[in-house]
Every structure is written in structure tokens, then in C-alpha cells.
Amino acid sequence: MIQSPKWVIQSFMLCIFTILLYITYAETSHAAGSAASPSTYENDITLPAVIYGKVTDRGGNVVPHANVEYELNHLGEITKYSTVADENGNYHIEAVVRDSTDMYLYVSADGFITYISYNKYDTFTLRPGDEVEHDIQLYEPSTIMGTVKDQTGQPIAVAKIEVTSIPYLVETDENGRYTVTGIDYDYSANIAMWVNSDNYVPYVEDRIGIRAGETIQIDVVLEEAAHVSGQVILE
């Protein structure tokens, strides 16, 4: 059977149209995919929050190689990390955070009281992409030293001494001398000292005025406790 030339031409044109339609669709899909890829890729990236600054002492001198620990708290989920400041006291933290993530800083160096951000009300609520500059000033511990004696001037050995911000007791030596160091003057507005020894009335020194890095002397005289003995008679 001989096909009509008109029918052959129509079939050929239909094939050409189909091919052109396919090519156009392929190019459009590729272009759309290329345009969408960067946007999609960018949305998948969580931008880090950046916090940076310098660690110095009270005089503005650089504290090199301070240990910087930080804690991230997102809705009770806590993760901990650490870094070290450089020789110029500069520290730089890049933290991957989610919305409303709290950060706490702990900075320590030999010869200084550890800086704790929440004690200074320096708590940071971070979001992705935030950038915060925060300089940190460390200060030296304070010291209290002195003697503990009775009312006759005799030294009292093994008297127990407690001072605000120090988590342990210090005892006097055989000559009644004591030294309490590592005191954080900024720990409380009321730095106090308690002295106790068997058979003596407890001693309390309240609101001790002491500055950062300062050493002061407090000599304590304990009074003997009254001892009452006798027999209780019931009528």
C-alpha cells in the first residue's frame, strides 16, 4: 500500500515537534534545577554564632593562653566545649546553635579567679548568625591571714576557719597561724569569716572589706565557753 505524501509529511512534522518539545522541557528543567540549587543549599546551612574578645587582668594586661570553656543550653539540652586564647589574649568561638540557645562562659588562668559568666550576669542568648564581642577581665584571688589565740595570748591549734567563697575549711597550725587564699572578693557583697574551736565561743567577722588581689590580716581572740555542771533534781 502506497502512503499518501500528505500523511508522511504530517508524521514527519509531528516527530520534529515532539523532539523540540522534549529539548525545551529538558533545558527548562535543568535551568530551574540550577537556579534552585543554591537557594536550597543555603537553607540547609546553619550559620554559626560567633563570640570573640580579649582576656586581660585588672590592669588591662593581656592574659595569654587562658582556658575558655563554654556551655550551650538549648531547652535543657546541654553541650560543653573548650578552646584556648592565643598569646595576645584573644579568643574566638564559632558555635552551631539553634534559636534561643543560652551560652555560659568559664575562663581560667593560673593565678586568677575563674571567671563564670552567669555569676557576672553575662549570659548570652544566641541565634544562628549572631556575632558578639565580649572582653573578659580576670582578677587575682584575695587572702586573709592571721592568728587565733585565747584570752591569755596562748595560740590555739587546729581551730577551724571558714571564709565565704572557699569550699573547704582551713585549720590553724601549732602556733595558731592560718592563711586562707583563693578568696573571690566579688563572690558576695558580704565576705565573712567564721572561727570555731572546741571549748571556745565561735567567732564571726562579718562584712570584711577586701579588694581583689589584696592580703589582709585578722587576728582572732576566742573566749572560753562557760561550762556548767551539777545535778538536776526533780521535785
Side-chain angles (χ1 to χ4, degrees):
M1 177 178 181
I2 299 175
Q3 296 181 342
S4 168
K6 183 178 179 181
W7 187 89
V8 172
I9 292 172
Q10 289 177 342
S11 298
F12 177 77
M13 293 300 295
L14 180 60
C15 290
I16 294 297
F17 177 78
T18 302
I19 292 172
L20 291 175
L21 182 63
Y22 175 81
I23 293 174
T24 302
Y25 174 80
E27 289 180 347
T28 303
S29 299
H30 176 72
S34 299
S37 293
S39 175
T40 303
Y41 181 67
E42 289 174 359
N43 289 338
D44 287 342
I45 293 178
T46 300
L47 294 175
V50 176
I51 181 168
Y52 64 95
K54 184 180 287 290
V55 183
T56 63
D57 63 14
R58 292 182 300 126
N61 301 304
V62 166
V63 178
H65 309 300
N67 185 49
V68 181
E69 299 180 9
Y70 58 100
E71 182 176 289
L72 302 176
N73 184 342
H74 179 72
L75 301 177
E77 181 182 336
I78 298 174
T79 51
K80 298 180 180 181
Y81 306 90
S82 65
T83 186
V84 177
D86 65 18
E87 64 275 8
N88 297 313
N90 297 308
Y91 74 93
H92 183 93
I93 296 170
E94 292 189 8
V96 177
V97 300
R98 287 170 283 180
D99 286 344
S100 300
T101 297
D102 292 330
M103 171 184 277
Y104 308 99
L105 288 172
Y106 308 82
V107 182
S108 59
D110 290 342
F112 294 93
I113 293 291
T114 297
Y115 166 90
I116 303 175
S117 62
Y118 60 77
N119 283 351
K120 311 296 181 186
Y121 305 104
D122 292 336
T123 300
F124 310 96
T125 299
L126 302 175
R127 293 174 176 79
D130 281 354
E131 186 170 319
V132 179
E133 181 177 5
H134 181 66
D135 295 331
I136 294 169
Q137 186 179 92
L138 300 181
Y139 52 86
E140 301 85 352
S142 305
T143 300
I144 299 175
M145 59 184 300
T147 60
V148 179
K149 298 180 179 180
D150 64 17
Q151 290 174 297
T152 67
Q154 294 300 307
I156 300 175
V158 200
K160 294 176 174 55
I161 299 167
E162 180 182 358
V163 177
T164 306
S165 85
I166 301 298
Y168 53 84
L169 297 177
V170 172
E171 294 185 347
T172 56
D173 63 16
E174 59 184 8
N175 297 309
R177 293 191 296 260
Y178 73 90
T179 299
V180 182
T181 191
I183 300 168
D184 183 353
Y185 89 104
D186 200 33
Y187 178 86
S188 170
N190 179 19
I191 297 295
M193 181 175 76
W194 298 263
V195 182
N196 287 281
S197 183
D198 292 342
N199 302 319
Y200 292 92
V201 176
Y203 172 92
V204 179
E205 179 86 11
D206 203 13
R207 297 193 177 278
I208 299 172
I210 191 168
R211 295 185 295 272
E214 183 181 25
T215 297
I216 63 174
Q217 181 169 337
I218 299 178
D219 295 324
V220 177
V221 175
L222 296 183
E223 299 179 12
E224 287 192 42
H227 293 280
V228 179
S229 60
Q231 183 177 3
V232 178
I233 300 175
L234 300 175
E235 295 184 357

PDB file of all heavy atoms in Angstrom, residues 3-19:
ATOM      1  N   GLN A   3       1.677   4.996   0.817  1.00  0.00           N
ATOM      2  CA  GLN A   3       1.187   6.017   1.749  1.00  0.00           C
ATOM      3  C   GLN A   3       1.096   7.367   1.048  1.00  0.00           C
ATOM      4  O   GLN A   3       1.890   7.704   0.171  1.00  0.00           O
ATOM      5  CB  GLN A   3       2.125   6.122   2.950  1.00  0.00           C
ATOM      6  CG  GLN A   3       2.173   4.860   3.786  1.00  0.00           C
ATOM      7  CD  GLN A   3       3.090   5.032   4.972  1.00  0.00           C
ATOM      8  OE1 GLN A   3       3.913   5.926   4.976  1.00  0.00           O
ATOM      9  NE2 GLN A   3       2.921   4.154   5.945  1.00  0.00           N
ATOM     10  N   SER A   4       0.110   8.146   1.459  1.00  0.00           N
ATOM     11  CA  SER A   4      -0.098   9.478   0.906  1.00  0.00           C
ATOM     12  C   SER A   4       1.043  10.389   1.317  1.00  0.00           C
ATOM     13  O   SER A   4       1.458  10.385   2.474  1.00  0.00           O
ATOM     14  CB  SER A   4      -1.435  10.027   1.404  1.00  0.00           C
ATOM     15  OG  SER A   4      -1.527  11.393   1.112  1.00  0.00           O
ATOM     16  N   PRO A   5       1.591  11.156   0.375  1.00  0.00           N
ATOM     17  CA  PRO A   5       2.661  12.115   0.715  1.00  0.00           C
ATOM     18  C   PRO A   5       2.222  13.078   1.812  1.00  0.00           C
ATOM     19  O   PRO A   5       3.028  13.473   2.652  1.00  0.00           O
ATOM     20  CB  PRO A   5       2.908  12.830  -0.603  1.00  0.00           C
ATOM     21  CG  PRO A   5       2.464  11.876  -1.653  1.00  0.00           C
ATOM     22  CD  PRO A   5       1.293  11.146  -1.068  1.00  0.00           C
ATOM     23  N   LYS A   6       0.956  13.455   1.823  1.00  0.00           N
ATOM     24  CA  LYS A   6       0.478  14.374   2.851  1.00  0.00           C
ATOM     25  C   LYS A   6       0.571  13.764   4.236  1.00  0.00           C
ATOM     26  O   LYS A   6       0.970  14.399   5.199  1.00  0.00           O
ATOM     27  CB  LYS A   6      -0.975  14.746   2.528  1.00  0.00           C
ATOM     28  CG  LYS A   6      -1.574  15.747   3.483  1.00  0.00           C
ATOM     29  CD  LYS A   6      -3.002  16.115   3.068  1.00  0.00           C
ATOM     30  CE  LYS A   6      -3.605  17.096   4.057  1.00  0.00           C
ATOM     31  NZ  LYS A   6      -4.985  17.458   3.721  1.00  0.00           N
ATOM     32  N   TRP A   7       0.230  12.473   4.299  1.00  0.00           N
ATOM     33  CA  TRP A   7       0.283  11.796   5.621  1.00  0.00           C
ATOM     34  C   TRP A   7       1.711  11.660   6.104  1.00  0.00           C
ATOM     35  O   TRP A   7       2.009  11.815   7.291  1.00  0.00           O
ATOM     36  CB  TRP A   7      -0.370  10.415   5.456  1.00  0.00           C
ATOM     37  CG  TRP A   7      -0.519   9.711   6.777  1.00  0.00           C
ATOM     38  CD1 TRP A   7      -1.564   9.806   7.622  1.00  0.00           C
ATOM     39  CD2 TRP A   7       0.426   8.837   7.369  1.00  0.00           C
ATOM     40  NE1 TRP A   7      -1.367   9.046   8.728  1.00  0.00           N
ATOM     41  CE2 TRP A   7      -0.119   8.419   8.603  1.00  0.00           C
ATOM     42  CE3 TRP A   7       1.674   8.332   6.969  1.00  0.00           C
ATOM     43  CZ2 TRP A   7       0.549   7.529   9.454  1.00  0.00           C
ATOM     44  CZ3 TRP A   7       2.326   7.455   7.825  1.00  0.00           C
ATOM     45  CH2 TRP A   7       1.784   7.070   9.054  1.00  0.00           C
ATOM     46  N   VAL A   8       2.634  11.386   5.168  1.00  0.00           N
ATOM     47  CA  VAL A   8       4.064  11.261   5.534  1.00  0.00           C
ATOM     48  C   VAL A   8       4.577  12.583   6.051  1.00  0.00           C
ATOM     49  O   VAL A   8       5.312  12.654   7.044  1.00  0.00           O
ATOM     50  CB  VAL A   8       4.871  10.801   4.311  1.00  0.00           C
ATOM     51  CG1 VAL A   8       6.367  10.871   4.615  1.00  0.00           C
ATOM     52  CG2 VAL A   8       4.459   9.402   3.899  1.00  0.00           C
ATOM     53  N   ILE A   9       4.221  13.660   5.425  1.00  0.00           N
ATOM     54  CA  ILE A   9       4.685  14.986   5.853  1.00  0.00           C
ATOM     55  C   ILE A   9       4.149  15.322   7.238  1.00  0.00           C
ATOM     56  O   ILE A   9       4.860  15.836   8.104  1.00  0.00           O
ATOM     57  CB  ILE A   9       4.255  16.046   4.831  1.00  0.00           C
ATOM     58  CG1 ILE A   9       5.013  15.831   3.509  1.00  0.00           C
ATOM     59  CG2 ILE A   9       4.513  17.451   5.362  1.00  0.00           C
ATOM     60  CD1 ILE A   9       4.517  16.710   2.367  1.00  0.00           C
ATOM     61  N   GLN A  10       2.900  15.008   7.495  1.00  0.00           N
ATOM     62  CA  GLN A  10       2.304  15.286   8.810  1.00  0.00           C
ATOM     63  C   GLN A  10       3.004  14.500   9.919  1.00  0.00           C
ATOM     64  O   GLN A  10       3.270  15.009  11.008  1.00  0.00           O
ATOM     65  CB  GLN A  10       0.808  14.951   8.783  1.00  0.00           C
ATOM     66  CG  GLN A  10      -0.024  15.926   7.960  1.00  0.00           C
ATOM     67  CD  GLN A  10      -1.482  15.520   7.899  1.00  0.00           C
ATOM     68  OE1 GLN A  10      -1.826  14.363   8.186  1.00  0.00           O
ATOM     69  NE2 GLN A  10      -2.352  16.456   7.501  1.00  0.00           N
ATOM     70  N   SER A  11       3.324  13.214   9.615  1.00  0.00           N
ATOM     71  CA  SER A  11       4.019  12.379  10.604  1.00  0.00           C
ATOM     72  C   SER A  11       5.403  12.938  10.894  1.00  0.00           C
ATOM     73  O   SER A  11       5.868  12.983  12.039  1.00  0.00           O
ATOM     74  CB  SER A  11       4.116  10.944  10.083  1.00  0.00           C
ATOM     75  OG  SER A  11       2.839  10.390   9.897  1.00  0.00           O
ATOM     76  N   PHE A  12       6.068  13.383   9.798  1.00  0.00           N
ATOM     77  CA  PHE A  12       7.424  13.923   9.980  1.00  0.00           C
ATOM     78  C   PHE A  12       7.383  15.203  10.826  1.00  0.00           C
ATOM     79  O   PHE A  12       8.195  15.394  11.737  1.00  0.00           O
ATOM     80  CB  PHE A  12       8.018  14.222   8.605  1.00  0.00           C
ATOM     81  CG  PHE A  12       9.390  14.858   8.674  1.00  0.00           C
ATOM     82  CD1 PHE A  12      10.499  14.086   8.952  1.00  0.00           C
ATOM     83  CD2 PHE A  12       9.555  16.224   8.464  1.00  0.00           C
ATOM     84  CE1 PHE A  12      11.747  14.665   9.017  1.00  0.00           C
ATOM     85  CE2 PHE A  12      10.798  16.791   8.538  1.00  0.00           C
ATOM     86  CZ  PHE A  12      11.915  16.026   8.821  1.00  0.00           C
ATOM     87  N   MET A  13       6.431  16.071  10.595  1.00  0.00           N
ATOM     88  CA  MET A  13       6.302  17.308  11.358  1.00  0.00           C
ATOM     89  C   MET A  13       5.979  17.035  12.817  1.00  0.00           C
ATOM     90  O   MET A  13       6.451  17.720  13.730  1.00  0.00           O
ATOM     91  CB  MET A  13       5.215  18.186  10.726  1.00  0.00           C
ATOM     92  CG  MET A  13       5.581  18.717   9.325  1.00  0.00           C
ATOM     93  SD  MET A  13       7.063  19.728   9.338  1.00  0.00           S
ATOM     94  CE  MET A  13       6.484  21.102  10.342  1.00  0.00           C
ATOM     95  N   LEU A  14       5.142  15.987  13.056  1.00  0.00           N
ATOM     96  CA  LEU A  14       4.785  15.621  14.425  1.00  0.00           C
ATOM     97  C   LEU A  14       6.016  15.160  15.197  1.00  0.00           C
ATOM     98  O   LEU A  14       6.217  15.505  16.369  1.00  0.00           O
ATOM     99  CB  LEU A  14       3.700  14.530  14.405  1.00  0.00           C
ATOM    100  CG  LEU A  14       3.220  14.057  15.772  1.00  0.00           C
ATOM    101  CD1 LEU A  14       2.610  15.226  16.576  1.00  0.00           C
ATOM    102  CD2 LEU A  14       2.194  12.937  15.614  1.00  0.00           C
ATOM    103  N   CYS A  15       6.879  14.383  14.503  1.00  0.00           N
ATOM    104  CA  CYS A  15       8.116  13.905  15.148  1.00  0.00           C
ATOM    105  C   CYS A  15       9.025  15.075  15.493  1.00  0.00           C
ATOM    106  O   CYS A  15       9.599  15.147  16.589  1.00  0.00           O
ATOM    107  CB  CYS A  15       8.836  12.924  14.234  1.00  0.00           C
ATOM    108  SG  CYS A  15       7.989  11.355  14.040  1.00  0.00           S
ATOM    109  N   ILE A  16       9.153  16.013  14.528  1.00  0.00           N
ATOM    110  CA  ILE A  16      10.002  17.188  14.779  1.00  0.00           C
ATOM    111  C   ILE A  16       9.475  17.988  15.964  1.00  0.00           C
ATOM    112  O   ILE A  16      10.221  18.430  16.841  1.00  0.00           O
ATOM    113  CB  ILE A  16      10.076  18.075  13.530  1.00  0.00           C
ATOM    114  CG1 ILE A  16      10.801  17.338  12.378  1.00  0.00           C
ATOM    115  CG2 ILE A  16      10.783  19.394  13.830  1.00  0.00           C
ATOM    116  CD1 ILE A  16      12.235  17.007  12.665  1.00  0.00           C
ATOM    117  N   PHE A  17       8.184  18.171  16.034  1.00  0.00           N
ATOM    118  CA  PHE A  17       7.566  18.933  17.130  1.00  0.00           C
ATOM    119  C   PHE A  17       7.800  18.261  18.488  1.00  0.00           C
ATOM    120  O   PHE A  17       8.089  18.902  19.489  1.00  0.00           O
ATOM    121  CB  PHE A  17       6.068  19.088  16.855  1.00  0.00           C
ATOM    122  CG  PHE A  17       5.326  19.787  17.946  1.00  0.00           C
ATOM    123  CD1 PHE A  17       5.387  21.172  18.063  1.00  0.00           C
ATOM    124  CD2 PHE A  17       4.579  19.057  18.868  1.00  0.00           C
ATOM    125  CE1 PHE A  17       4.719  21.814  19.067  1.00  0.00           C
ATOM    126  CE2 PHE A  17       3.912  19.715  19.871  1.00  0.00           C
ATOM    127  CZ  PHE A  17       3.974  21.088  19.986  1.00  0.00           C
ATOM    128  N   THR A  18       7.665  16.913  18.470  1.00  0.00           N
ATOM    129  CA  THR A  18       7.869  16.155  19.704  1.00  0.00           C
ATOM    130  C   THR A  18       9.295  16.301  20.203  1.00  0.00           C
ATOM    131  O   THR A  18       9.567  16.488  21.405  1.00  0.00           O
ATOM    132  CB  THR A  18       7.530  14.669  19.492  1.00  0.00           C
ATOM    133  OG1 THR A  18       6.178  14.565  19.047  1.00  0.00           O
ATOM    134  CG2 THR A  18       7.698  13.882  20.777  1.00  0.00           C
ATOM    135  N   ILE A  19      10.257  16.228  19.266  1.00  0.00           N
ATOM    136  CA  ILE A  19      11.674  16.357  19.638  1.00  0.00           C
ATOM    137  C   ILE A  19      11.962  17.748  20.201  1.00  0.00           C
ATOM    138  O   ILE A  19      12.629  17.906  21.226  1.00  0.00           O
ATOM    139  CB  ILE A  19      12.570  16.055  18.416  1.00  0.00           C
ATOM    140  CG1 ILE A  19      12.460  14.569  18.051  1.00  0.00           C
ATOM    141  CG2 ILE A  19      14.020  16.426  18.719  1.00  0.00           C
ATOM    142  CD1 ILE A  19      13.148  14.220  16.734  1.00  0.00           C
TER     143      ILE A  19
END
